[in-house]
Amino acid sequence: MCGINAIFAYGSAAPPVDRDEVIATRECMLSRGPDAGDAWFSDDGRVGFGHRRLAIIDLSPGGAQPKHFGSLTIIFNGEIYNYRELRAQLEESGRRFTSQSDTEVLLQLYDEKQEAMLGELRGMFTIALWDGARRRMLLARDPYGIKPLYYADDGATIRIASQVRALVAGGKVSTQFDSAGAAGFFLRGTVPEPFTMYRAIRALPAGSFLYVDANGVHEPVTYFSIAATLRDAVERDEHFTDNQRREIVHDAVLESVRYHMVADVPVGAFLSAGIDSTAVVALARETGATDLQTMTLRFEEYRGRVNDEAPLAALVARQYGVRHSIQELTLTDFRSELPRIFAAMDQPTVDGLNSYFISKAAHGLGLKVALSGAGGDELFGGYTSFRDIPRWMPVTSVLARVPKLGDAVHRLNAALSKRSRHISPKMGEIVRYGGSYAGAYLVKRGRFLASELPAILGHDIAAQGVARLDLLHLIERAVTPDPGNAFARVAALESSLYLRNQLLRDMDWASMAHSLEVRVPLVDAHLLRKVAPALVTRRERGKQLLAAAPRPPLPAEVRERRKTGFTLPIKEWLTQEAGGPVEFGKRSWARKVYEVMFSAERGHW
């Protein structure tokens, strides 16, 4: 795991690469790679690479980057879990290696197959590769977008980095603020890709690559689609017995966990009381892991309540024989850590605090790598959206076709919701947008309504931001091509939007703030291909399939526990801070994040 950055002055009139800019951008990402830092510049001064290293695989200097092979030079962030098999295949064809690193495998694989190699990689990654013979740069990102990659192109020079803040730190990227980023933050709780806080900076889409050459930055090309993978599974229309489904899930998830254990340093795991993390820990033990360190957060505000995950997590740790640590977290801890949280937060978000503090706990235990159960709800249908949206559609798809009905219901509902907290202002929105899965998802997952934005951002900025964002269109892209049935559509929406834009991105900045690599075995393209045929046609509740996967099975207390999610007592803390009641916790927190992170940028609107 690392921080990477690069500059390519591709335009003939562009000035040469500024070495100080490369170093400044790289050093902004020090916590992503405290073990080593290096840089490389092409002889003609047109290309510069920077790299901060967190050594996980091949701890020797042989694993250092930038790495070279002939006319190829690479920097990459992430891990390739199947690099040993890929290396063996390359050796069979006569290739030889000088290190034990996955980075060298990438170089030689590209030398043989170019961008066609991407479909063979099992891992999380972003890649910048300079092909000197062809005078072009390859940028690529893993199928789910676990690792971020941002770029700024001014028409003559492209700059790339693992963080938005790092690009800005170089001093050459425009910091004109993007109203679409602000609108997206309040509507979704995070800035939706490809937007960022700045007009000049965009995210490379997940599951895609692009080339940059003398002709400029080419359009991204998709090599993996969650929606298409689910559609293929639906079209296969395979039929399984319940036992067959359980076997498929067990074998596929066990295999994924085994791959995610590949490391030359100890691997730990986050452990809550939920099915996802407990299943990952149980299956890690099933792979043969004998020295697994797990950790759980505990809050005084949750003690004795269903939200208190510590007792059940301790039970799971005892059952599977792992070393376990419980980290107590108080309002005082939260308050004292806030400046560092905002300094680490790469883009505004209402989430990530849980990941930040559990990563801090892991780092305190001396870990560099930890497994997480993130992605289980998206893969196995654990959210209420899997139930609610398909139930809405038969009614809302009809109502949405009635002219002006949505506007009328919205006005009536907005008026009534001001008089009673029991009336959701979203009711009018579901009539207005419920004609499609994308529209229904827009309402289901919304934080603030579009009608609330003028009061927060001002009328002009809100209108401009909503128009530029075109959020419904972004959501529709997540279900294009049509995944084929209700379960598959919601799975594609949750995986391509909430998981990618919120959970994975927050996991990245929050863990990297503590120099911790977090691995997500349930977020894996190879796993999706294997289990999708058994999930898209299932009758059994998906999460129960995952709960039944470990051998021995998860404790009944975990399997039967009501889902609460891995949360912090934000509302309770904000209430104490305010000295009185506050609106729903994450809405209050969103206003706090905006106040801290956005207000400093208002001069750039």
Side-chain angles (χ1 to χ4, degrees), residues 333-507:
D333 299 325
F334 172 69
R335 187 187 293 120
S336 66
E337 199 69 21
L338 268 181
R340 286 180 286 274
I341 290 172
F342 284 120
M345 191 181 289
D346 194 43
Q347 294 198 74
T349 174
V350 298
D351 218 329
L353 297 178
N354 46 6
S355 298
Y356 181 91
F357 283 106
I358 193 69
S359 296
K360 186 173 187 288
H363 178 77
L365 292 169
L367 289 171
K368 278 183 158 184
V369 179
L371 303 179
S372 166
D377 286 316
E378 290 81 2
L379 184 61
F380 291 97
Y383 295 129
T384 57
S385 54
F386 284 88
R387 178 193 68 228
D388 293 344
I389 293 177
R391 285 180 179 176
W392 293 347
M393 291 305 297
V395 176
T396 58
S397 60
V398 174
L399 295 177
R401 293 196 293 268
V402 179
K404 298 183 179 181
L405 178 61
D407 292 338
V409 173
H410 171 75
R411 288 193 298 270
L412 175 62
N413 201 72
L416 292 175
S417 64
K418 292 178 181 179
R419 300 180 181 180
S420 173
R421 291 186 301 171
H422 301 291
I423 297 177
S424 170
K426 286 186 177 183
M427 289 302 297
E429 297 290 280
I430 192 61
V431 174
R432 180 183 292 173
Y433 294 108
S436 68
Y437 272 78
Y441 185 79
L442 169 65
V443 178
K444 174 68 176 177
R445 276 294 189 183
R447 293 292 183 188
F448 288 78
L449 303 180
S451 59
E452 295 177 284
L453 297 188
I456 301 171
L457 301 174
H459 287 276
D460 292 343
I461 292 174
Q464 180 193 60
V466 168
R468 275 183 47 75
L469 183 65
D470 194 4
L471 185 54
L472 187 58
H473 175 68
L474 285 182
I475 296 174
E476 286 170 345
R477 284 163 52 183
V479 282
T480 304
D482 181 5
N485 68 21
F487 177 88
R489 291 180 191 118
V490 179
L493 288 164
E494 293 288 15
S495 298
S496 302
L497 297 166
Y498 181 62
L499 176 65
R500 179 179 304 155
N501 289 322
Q502 189 89 70
L503 301 184
L504 295 177
R505 187 190 301 161
D506 287 338
M507 188 76 78

Side-chain angles (χ1 to χ4, degrees), residues 563-597:
K563 180 176 175 60
T564 59
F566 178 25
T567 62
L568 271 65
I570 294 296
K571 184 172 184 178
E572 290 86 344
W573 287 344
L574 292 177
T575 298
Q576 292 180 55
E577 290 281 86
V582 297
E583 63 181 330
F584 175 67
K586 284 192 176 178
R587 286 171 63 94
S588 296
W589 179 240
R591 294 179 187 275
K592 174 70 173 178
V593 170
Y594 174 74
E595 176 187 339
V596 174
M597 297 193 70

Side-chain angles (χ1 to χ4, degrees), residues 547-566:
R551 297 169 183 170
L554 301 183
E557 295 92 332
V558 173
R559 298 197 309 270
E560 297 166 7
R561 178 178 181 266
R562 179 173 66 84
K563 180 176 175 60
T564 59
F566 178 25

